[in-house]
């Protein structure tokens, strides 16, 4: 809107005056054209009030998981802030709210798998390395005032054919809340309310200009009256049903007065300024509401549901009441290397139960299976009682308390053991490096406690580590005959993220930049090789390296790069058909893929035991829940 510069102060010759009139008229048209996107902005705003639920806080709760964003790109976007950006930003907001859904995570991963990382922006942005200044912050969250720049950058591609990635800028900032919100958008009947907000917006913009003109005193008073009336009504109404009667008439009145005012005011500069002010305010407000809902969503997905907490308490109490029962019989089977040993790291009783139940239900010989549930002292007794009361075919179950083993590393991190880690990672599409198109995925990796495995099982040669957010759908015994070719672990590759993209975290360490990252959930572990390579030691050393480079002190904040580097070159890829990931993050996992997969992995925030779990995938999980359990019904557990 550089056209605004036409208004110079010195007198103009008549011919120029004509031009000036034209310029003013054009300018007014431009201002009016801005109002159209504003309608949308206002409607977005009211959309938030309707959801009123939902979002994301980056800080982790100790016993839960840490989600991070390894993409610092948003901060690197140059400071361009022209008027044009404003309106493209609005267009972009509209784009984002179209009811389209991103492609499912699996497709994306496979799609990107074959490409090189050469052009990846993540690498480009890892500049700080050269001057050895600290690398990116732990959580490179785009500061609020920069958000619109990031968004405007996407517009170009968003307007193109690819409407499937519209959630991107939202996801970078708010994570899976964006997907959840799309799924749960309520349709509101608020046509009139929106119209009112719109008119109010315009009236407010014109008011200061008309108030200055003393000759139009009456008109300005009338406008003010209308504004106040609308403000009052809108403060009490969010949908059309809330509105008082005869609104149509009042609307007409308002619009009539606006038309009159418009005909009087010729100088659009002030109106334009005012509009811009209001627009900024509204944007901030919209962002605020978004953050707020995103925070609530995050709270809901990271907090242990009350009923599960109750279950754990009830079981603990019951355990100590029933001391007379011999629950501590140890079994030779726990250490028999000829059996199939499965390890589950979990504090969630129901989740562990489902994993074990679904495994034994599909097992050809459950008598050969031994499950080791590794848990914290807090849940230990509840777990013990639970697995004493419930039987899973002929399988053997041992509950292990971490505190019995974890003396060594506790010093640096008292009272904290992560059972598993999940990271939100947004990666630029390699195929189109110019755009800011990104894939957001939740990568689950080992927690600190996984590195105690050789201590837990000094006599075993191989174990299979199962995530607590999986459901097994087939017999797992073929896993035991896989030839790992000398590698330490077996895992599903996740090639959208390569080690080279985490270079800035890893300092001068030597590694192959093309190495794929991998997922936990279903992992083979060769404990003999583990000890040979001294993996536990290596991990703790690399953890220190990353901590030093990033100046991040929390283990969770830096574990991902350290873990990936620890196992670099030591991962045997499992075939894709073993593990299907994404059921806790994508609403669009294909039914066919689910049908074929041996193990379903609910990585992401929307776990099946949560209210917010994705409804269409919950059934696979619930199927293996115990029925008619006394404690469950007492605690009203009904996931
Ligand atoms: C993967 O890359 C190879 C060589 O770079 C190419 O021949 C092949 O077509 C690619 N596959 C896919 C699925 O893109
Ligand atoms: C295991 O799952 C079956 C259904 O497949 C269910 O009937 C049974 O109660 C479950 N057992 C336990 C111990 O959870």
């Amino acid at each position: 809107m550089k056209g605004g510069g036409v208004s110079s102060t010195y007198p103009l010759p008549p011919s120029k005056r004509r031009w000036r009139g034209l310029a003013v008229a054009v300018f007014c048209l431009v201002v009016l054209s801005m109002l159209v996107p504003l309608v949308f902005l206002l409607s977005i705003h009211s959309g938030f009030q309707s959801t009123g639920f939902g979002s994301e806080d980056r800080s982790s709760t100790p016993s839960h998981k840490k989600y991070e964003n390894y993409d610092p790109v948003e901060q690197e976007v140059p400071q361009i802030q022209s008027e044009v950006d404003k309106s493209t930003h609005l267009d972009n907001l509209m784009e984002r709210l179209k009811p389209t859904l991103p492609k499912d995570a699996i497709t994306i991963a496979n799609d990107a798998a074959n490409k090189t990382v050469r052009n990846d922006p993540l690498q480009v942005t890892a500049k700080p390395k050269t001057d050895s200044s600290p690398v990116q912050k732990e959580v490179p969250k785009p500061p609020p005032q920069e958000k619109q720049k990031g968004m405007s950058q996407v517009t170009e591609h968003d307007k193109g054919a690819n409407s499937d990635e519209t959630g991107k800028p939202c996801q970078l900032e708010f994570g899976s809340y964006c997907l959840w919100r799309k799924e749960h958008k309520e349709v509101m009947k608020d046509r009139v309310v929106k119209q009112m907000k719109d008119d109010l917006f315009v009236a407010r913009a014109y008011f200061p200009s008309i108030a200055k003109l003393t000759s139009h005193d009456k008109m300005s008073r009338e406008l003010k009256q209308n504004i106040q009336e609308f403000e009052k009504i809108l403060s009490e109404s969010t949908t059309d049903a809330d509105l008082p009667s005869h609104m149509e008439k009042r609307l007409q009145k308002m619009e009539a007065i606006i038309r009159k005012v418009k005909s009087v005011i010729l100088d659009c500069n002030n109106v334009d300024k005012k509009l811009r002010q209001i627009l900024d305010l509204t944007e901030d407000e919209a962002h605020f509401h978004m953050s707020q809902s995103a925070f609530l969503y995050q709270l809901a997905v990271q907090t242990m549901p009350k009923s599960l907490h109750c279950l754990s308490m009830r079981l603990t109490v019951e355990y100590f009441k029933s001391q007379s029962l011999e629950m501590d019989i140890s079994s030779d089977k726990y250490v028999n290397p000829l059996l199939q040993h499965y390890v589950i790291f979990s504090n969630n009783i129901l989740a562990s139960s489902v994993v074990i139940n679904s495994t034994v239900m599909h097992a050809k010989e459950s008598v050969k299976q031994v499950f080791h549930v590794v848990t914290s002292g807090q849940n230990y007794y509840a777990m013990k009682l639970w697995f004493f009361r419930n039987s899973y075919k002929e399988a053997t179950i041992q509950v292990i308390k971490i505190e019995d083993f974890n003396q060594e590393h506790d010093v640096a991190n008292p009272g904290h053991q992560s059972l598993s880690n999940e990271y939100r990672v947004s990666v630029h599409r390699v195929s189109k490096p110019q755009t800011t198109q990104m894939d957001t995925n939740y990568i689950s990796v080992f927690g600190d406690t996984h590195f105690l495995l050789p201590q837990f099982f000094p006599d075993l040669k191989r174990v299979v580590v199962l995530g607590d957010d999986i459901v097994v759908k087939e017999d797992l015994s073929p896993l035991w005959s896989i030839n790992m070719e000398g590698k330490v672990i077996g895992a599903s590759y996740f090639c959208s993220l390569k080690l080279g993209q985490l270079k800035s975290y890893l300092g001068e360490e030597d590694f192959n930049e093309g190495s794929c990252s991998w997922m936990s959930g279903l992992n083979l572990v060769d404990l003999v090789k583990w000890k040979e390579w001294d993996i536990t030691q290596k991990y703790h050393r690399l953890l220190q390296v990353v901590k030093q480079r990033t100046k991040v002190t929390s283990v969770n904040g830096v574990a991902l790069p350290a873990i990936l580097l620890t196992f670099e070159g030591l991962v045997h890829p499992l075939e894709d058909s073993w593990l299907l990931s994404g059921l806790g993050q994508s609403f669009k996992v294909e039914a066919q893929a689910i049908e074929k997969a041996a193990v379903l992995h609910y990585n992401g925030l929307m776990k099946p035991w949560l209210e917010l779990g994705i409804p269409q995938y919950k059934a696979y999980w619930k199927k293996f829940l115990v029925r008619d359990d006394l404690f469950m019904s007492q605690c009203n557990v009904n996931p």
Side-chain angles (χ1 to χ4, degrees):
M1 295 201 193
K2 291 276 147 56
V6 180
S7 55
S8 45
T9 41
Y10 54 85
L12 296 160
S15 66
K16 288 241 173 118
R17 218 174 283 151
R18 240 194 20 241
W19 280 110
R20 185 184 160 160
L22 192 60
V24 170
V26 167
F27 183 72
C28 286
L29 273 177
V30 172
V31 170
L32 283 175
S33 72
M34 280 184 65
L35 294 177
V36 179
L38 285 176
V39 178
F40 278 84
L41 192 73
L42 288 168
S43 65
I44 287 161
H45 179 186
S46 53
F48 290 139
Q49 294 173 340
S50 76
T51 30
F53 191 58
S55 201
E56 187 153 275
D57 160 42
R58 296 279 157 61
S59 65
S60 71
T61 47
S63 61
H64 285 258
K65 308 175 180 191
K66 173 90 185 177
Y67 307 94
E68 266 196 59
N69 170 6
Y70 274 101
D71 187 73
V73 166
E74 289 276 304
Q75 296 186 319
E76 303 273 319
V77 177
Q79 292 254 356
I80 315 159
Q81 222 198 12
S82 66
E83 278 79 345
V84 182
D85 276 343
K86 274 275 159 66
S87 57
T88 51
H89 166 49
L90 288 172
D91 290 346
N92 193 37
L93 270 176
M94 295 191 288
E95 279 291 313
R96 286 190 339 187
L97 283 150
K98 282 201 308 207
T100 54
L101 279 158
K103 271 200 245 170
D104 78 74
I106 309 311
T107 326
I108 291 167
N110 291 343
D111 185 41
N114 202 20
K115 319 255 165 59
T116 67
V117 277
R118 193 163 29 89
N119 292 323
D120 197 289
L122 270 176
Q123 230 184 350
V124 179
T125 51
K127 273 175 285 175
K129 190 181 158 284
T130 50
D131 55 28
S132 76
S133 60
V135 222
Q136 299 298 333
K137 280 188 300 182
E138 179 189 359
V139 184
K141 180 163 143 185
Q145 73 271 23
E146 283 190 36
K147 74 182 166 8
Q148 57 228 53
K149 278 153 266 147
M151 287 173 180
S152 58
Q153 231 196 10
V154 217
T155 334
E156 226 174 77
H157 119 78
D158 269 351
K159 281 188 179 145
N162 277 317
S163 53
D164 58 309
E165 286 296 322
T166 48
K168 181 247 115 194
C170 176
Q171 277 207 62
L172 186 63
E173 192 169 1
F174 299 114
S176 63
Y177 163 66
C178 305
L179 300 181
W180 180 86
R181 187 167 61 94
K182 267 185 204 144
E183 285 290 314
H184 293 83
K185 215 170 148 192
E186 265 176 59
V187 182
M188 278 227 301
K189 290 201 171 139
D190 59 355
R191 188 190 61 81
V192 184
V193 169
K194 279 179 186 162
Q195 182 68 41
M196 286 180 67
K197 283 182 180 170
D198 225 24
D199 287 345
L200 179 61
F201 199 93
V202 179
R204 275 175 180 165
Y206 274 96
F207 180 71
S209 303
I210 194 81
K212 268 191 221 148
L213 304 175
T214 40
S215 51
H216 295 285
D217 226 15
K218 185 160 161 276
M219 206 186 279
S220 93
R221 239 179 312 157
E222 204 180 327
L223 186 62
K224 188 173 176 182
Q225 232 172 34
N226 272 288
I227 290 177
Q228 285 170 342
E229 190 182 299
F230 268 45
E231 279 173 345
K232 184 166 176 300
I233 296 172
L234 286 175
S235 71
E236 292 158 1
S237 322
T238 44
T239 68
D240 288 359
D242 305 334
L243 293 171
S245 49
H246 308 304
M247 251 352 273
E248 291 288 346
K249 239 192 194 144
R250 289 193 221 191
L251 259 178
Q252 280 167 12
K253 213 172 105 196
M254 178 66 129
E255 278 164 18
I257 177 85
I258 291 174
R259 266 197 303 278
K260 263 200 277 175
V261 172
K262 272 183 187 167
S263 68
V264 173
I265 296 175
L266 287 175
D267 175 18
C268 283
N269 264 330
N270 287 331
V271 179
D272 173 47
K273 241 186 259 161
K274 189 71 196 168
L275 266 176
R276 210 171 294 290
Q277 258 176 21
I278 303 176
L279 173 64
D280 283 347
L281 280 177
T282 318
E283 264 184 6
D284 288 351
E285 201 181 334
H287 189 252
F288 170 77
H289 281 286
M290 188 79 169
S291 309
Q292 207 178 35
S293 343
F295 173 77
L296 291 173
Y297 166 83
Q298 189 68 15
L299 201 63
V301 293
Q302 288 204 341
T303 316
M304 165 90 78
K306 200 172 62 190
S307 54
L308 291 191
H309 192 68
C310 162
L311 180 64
S312 181
M313 302 290 273
R314 282 287 293 113
L315 285 164
T316 306
V317 170
E318 197 61 29
Y319 174 89
F320 287 105
K321 272 206 228 156
S322 45
Q323 279 284 302
S324 54
L325 301 173
E326 267 306 316
M327 271 180 272
D328 282 311
I329 328 158
S330 141
S331 162
D332 295 344
K333 285 186 160 187
Y334 294 168
V335 293
N336 183 347
L338 300 174
L339 300 176
Q340 302 175 354
H341 294 266
Y342 297 89
V343 189
I344 300 160
F345 291 83
S346 181
N347 280 325
N348 186 328
I349 296 164
L350 288 188
S352 313
S353 173
V354 166
V355 174
I356 295 174
N357 199 14
S358 64
T359 309
V360 298
M361 283 301 188
H362 296 102
K364 293 212 174 90
E365 289 177 286
S366 64
V367 67
K368 276 190 174 176
Q369 296 182 320
V370 184
F371 292 87
H372 307 266
V373 182
V374 179
T375 191
S376 67
Q378 209 178 1
N379 295 288
Y380 176 70
Y381 300 103
M383 287 271 194
K384 275 205 92 130
L385 184 65
W386 177 270
F387 289 111
F388 179 77
R389 285 168 49 89
N390 293 289
S391 62
Y392 299 80
K393 286 195 165 175
E394 292 159 277
T396 309
I397 294 159
Q398 179 195 18
V399 183
I400 295 176
K401 181 159 64 162
I402 301 163
E403 282 83 349
D404 290 344
F405 291 86
N406 193 21
Q407 288 117 8
E408 216 175 301
H409 308 295
D410 227 10
V411 191
N413 237 323
H416 176 267
Q417 302 101 358
S418 63
L419 292 174
S420 69
N421 282 319
E422 225 167 44
Y423 292 86
R424 192 178 92 206
V425 177
S426 299
V427 184
H428 276 249
R429 275 290 178 84
V430 182
S431 48
K432 302 180 192 109
Q434 313 83 352
T435 69
T436 52
Q437 191 171 359
M438 270 191 262
D439 299 328
T440 297
N441 273 292
Y442 288 82
I443 299 190
S444 57
V445 290
F446 289 171
D448 264 10
T449 39
H450 285 69
F451 291 89
L452 298 169
L453 275 170
Q455 272 172 268
F456 293 147
F457 312 109
D459 302 321
L460 301 183
K461 289 194 174 67
R462 180 184 281 201
V463 292
V464 170
V465 179
L466 303 174
D468 70 352
D469 52 355
I470 63 163
V471 168
V472 176
K473 288 175 63 237
E474 279 174 24
D475 180 31
L476 294 185
S477 53
L479 284 175
W480 296 92
S481 49
I482 288 180
N483 178 2
M484 287 171 66
E485 293 164 342
K487 302 289 164 73
V488 178
I489 58 169
S492 300
Y493 273 175
F494 177 74
C495 287
S496 294
L497 181 72
K498 308 230 164 132
L499 218 48
Q501 288 159 278
L502 298 171
K503 218 174 167 179
S504 55
Y505 294 86
L506 299 171
E508 308 307 318
E509 296 296 324
D510 194 27
F511 58 89
N512 178 359
E513 295 188 8
S515 301
C516 288
S517 55
W518 48 272
M519 288 271 193
S520 63
L522 178 69
N523 298 105
L524 298 175
V525 175
D526 185 328
L527 289 169
V528 178
K529 291 282 167 199
W530 185 299
K531 281 179 240 174
E532 255 172 50
W533 286 94
D534 204 358
I535 292 294
T536 306
Q537 201 61 31
K538 189 179 173 193
Y539 167 68
H540 288 286
R541 182 183 70 77
L542 287 170
L543 204 55
Q544 293 310 318
V545 168
V546 180
K547 272 186 190 175
Q548 251 156 34
R549 275 196 74 77
T550 54
K551 309 267 188 283
V552 171
T553 47
S554 92
V555 177
N556 280 351
V558 293
L560 178 64
I563 290 173
L564 292 181
L565 190 53
T566 302
F567 291 102
E568 201 242 325
L570 303 174
V571 183
H572 176 79
L574 291 182
E575 272 171 45
D576 285 347
S577 57
W578 274 112
L579 187 68
L580 178 68
S581 294
L583 276 76
Q585 70 181 32
S586 165
F587 285 87
K588 287 278 161 161
V589 179
E590 284 163 29
Q592 229 180 348
I594 294 179
E595 218 47 58
K596 274 192 263 171
V599 176
L600 304 179
H601 189 196
Y602 294 78
N603 60 315
L605 297 181
M606 295 175 266
K607 303 291 187 200
W609 53 85
L610 298 177
E611 188 82 22
L612 290 170
I614 301 174
Q616 60 264 42
Y617 313 141
K618 269 189 183 175
Y620 301 102
W621 187 84
K622 272 171 122 167
K623 201 165 129 191
F624 297 102
L625 213 52
V626 68
R627 263 168 274 268
D628 306 320
D629 179 83
L630 174 69
F631 296 105
M632 275 171 71
S633 47
Q634 276 177 1
C635 285
N636 205 10
V637 179
N638 188 21

